[in-house]
Amino acid sequence: MRVVIGNDHAGLDLVESIVAVIEDMGIETQHIGTFSADSVDYPDYAVSVCNAVTSGEYDRGILVCGTGIGMSIAANKVPGVRAALCAEPYSAALSRLHNDANVLCLGARVLGPGIAEEIVRAWLTTQFSGDRHQRRVDKINSLDGK
Ligand code: RB5
């Protein structure tokens, strides 16, 4: 699996610990920034990460901003993206199991590094169950471009 990660200035503190967790899991990761505390616009990073996922270059994306909300709103505008904003591991696992989420959004001003690690581990280790959920995901995907 290959994971691409992006953040805005508000996500900077948390993103470094998330990159470390993913590397510790032995998963290939690419962090595309931002790398400084200078103010940037989160939609720019959301689009870069989402395009890298929908192009097939990466399997999954992770986006971090202050709340995770702006990143999730922007990410879900990109056709082919199913982004899940998660604040605990149960939802993270279910976003994979039922929704086949391909992008995870996190809020650095909401989460500490410990719970963020649990969320990321749950999200990266849970597989989509398919079955009746495939039909529902197909219906979500059919909304792209409408
Ligand atoms: C940046 O100040 C903040 O608005 C952004 O990180 C995010 O929380 C938006 O949803």
Side-chain angles (χ1 to χ4, degrees):
M1 190 195 304
R2 287 165 53 82
V3 178
V4 57
I5 304 174
N7 59 280
D8 72 357
H9 54 285
L12 193 61
D13 288 344
L14 188 65
V15 80
E16 287 165 10
S17 64
I18 290 170
V19 171
V21 166
I22 298 172
E23 287 175 349
D24 180 64
M25 295 173 78
I27 294 172
E28 188 176 341
T29 186
Q30 177 72 43
H31 181 201
I32 64 161
T34 187
F35 299 101
S36 93
D38 295 342
S39 183
V40 295
D41 297 335
Y42 57 82
D44 297 336
Y45 290 85
V47 167
S48 294
V49 163
C50 289
N51 285 343
V53 172
T54 58
S55 70
E57 190 180 356
Y58 291 88
D59 303 294
R60 308 264 193 93
I62 296 179
L63 291 165
V64 188
C65 66
T67 59
I69 295 171
M71 286 293 200
S72 63
I73 292 171
N76 279 310
K77 297 275 187 190
V78 178
V81 168
R82 294 173 302 282
L85 170 59
C86 297
E88 32 71 31
Y90 177 76
S91 296
L94 267 290
S95 80
R96 290 286 313 131
L97 196 66
H98 287 189
N99 314 118
D100 197 17
N102 52 6
V103 173
L104 173 67
C105 300
L106 300 170
R109 292 173 177 162
V110 180
L111 304 170
I115 190 78
E117 174 171 352
E118 286 187 40
I119 292 166
V120 167
R121 286 186 183 275
W123 193 71
L124 289 175
T125 56
T126 305
Q127 300 306 311
F128 179 49
S129 65
D131 193 35
R132 67 188 185 281
H133 298 291
Q134 183 63 62
R135 183 178 69 244
R136 295 159 185 168
V137 169
D138 288 344
K139 289 186 178 183
I140 293 172
N141 293 341
S142 74
L143 299 172
D144 282 345
K146 285 193 177 169

